[in-house]
Amino acid sequence: MASEQKPELFELNNGSMQVKITNYGATIVSLSVPDKDGNLADVVLGCDSLEPYLKGAVPFFGCIVGRVANRIKDGKFTLDGIEYQLPINKPPNSLHGGHEGFDKKNWEIVERKEGKIPSITFKYHSHDGEEGYPGDVTVTATYTLTSSTTMRLDMEALPENKPTPINLAQHTYWNLAGHSSGTILDHSIQIWASHITPVDQNTVPTGEIMPVKGTPFDFTTEKKIGSSIHEVGLGYDHNYVLDCGEEKEGLKHAARLKDPSTSRVLNLWTTAPGVQFYTANYVNGVSGKDGAVYGKHSGLCLETQGFPNAINEPKFPSIVVRPGEKYRHTMLFEFSVVE
């Protein structure tokens, strides 16, 4: 059983990139890739030891969140005529699976592969009623270094006996200049999305689908993150509705992130319909690796996902998975440097 698992740290290394992952929350603790001069740097926010993760001292750094990522309005939903009440862990809503979501569980290690294409597979069994959600669900997450500077994440979930909402997201905070290099406001980003789901004062989607054209949310062409961030309140924390454009291996191009100082680039591809673009607006004085202290905008998240509060919005793509069906969500993180 997963409860007997101890939190440990594992490394995937193919000679070009190095990733450290813990089975606690299936969490990426560090990820090092080369810059234009071949210098490796760790480009994810995190901590030197597992203790801060176990104590809940980090704001979802690097983990997989579930059973349902993002916000559920008032922590309530009705499915097949039954009303469910979830923990209100981010008043007035339920966020990222509740008080103890998948990010705060010890996952089982079911497979490890070494060699040129190293990988690790984690598994977690979520029981009926856990954090208020219906039915038993078995979840797996496999991280694979598929080429010299590419990592793939395959997430799957099988509901065993009841229909349930499922929406997993990978919550790594990226800073391509290096985790301790300051803010990401000089990074530029392109997001393959011409619409967002606008939100109310509690960051829950209103149900509308809004075009980004002519607004500070428009990243349909590459733009510096800091250029209009002051026009959107605390910063970006919005779900982008991905266009059906360029594809690779059946995945949609979600975003391209670039750091001018190191020329590092991250291209993100996904099977999910949306991506939460979050600029670490609430990160404030978090103690990180190598004595770094992470402040506001010190990283950014690109969480591909089903739409927030989709369980309560019939117009949004459904996140309900029924017994006999399988939830699948794949992400491809492709690192490179600008020539």
Side-chain angles (χ1 to χ4, degrees), residues 70-102:
N70 220 299
R71 289 164 179 82
I72 292 180
K73 187 176 184 177
D74 301 327
K76 279 186 190 150
F77 67 90
T78 300
L79 181 53
D80 292 352
I82 302 167
E83 184 172 291
Y84 296 94
Q85 176 66 57
L86 310 171
I88 306 293
N89 61 321
K90 182 85 173 173
N93 306 307
S94 192
L95 175 70
H96 290 333
H99 293 302
E100 283 194 23
F102 294 178

Side-chain angles (χ1 to χ4, degrees), residues 10-14 17-21 26-33 43-44 62 64 117-120 122 142-155 170-172 174 248-249 251 265-270 330-336:
F10 303 90
E11 185 178 313
L12 300 179
N13 194 330
N14 61 6
M17 67 186 292
Q18 177 200 61
V19 187
K20 290 182 180 169
I21 306 170
T27 297
I28 297 171
V29 173
S30 74
L31 188 151
S32 299
V33 285
V43 296
V44 306
I64 290 179
I117 304 178
S119 68
I120 188 163
F122 301 106
T142 302
Y143 292 96
T144 309
L145 303 189
T146 52
S147 72
S148 59
T149 50
T150 303
M151 180 178 73
R152 180 180 168 118
L153 170 59
D154 292 287
M155 295 175 272
Q170 216 299 338
H171 208 295
T172 291
W174 304 99
K248 171 182 287 199
E249 299 167 30
L251 311 182
V265 175
L266 166 58
N267 275 287
L268 176 62
W269 306 76
T270 186
T330 295
M331 303 173 78
L332 200 64
F333 304 89
E334 203 176 39
F335 296 93
S336 58

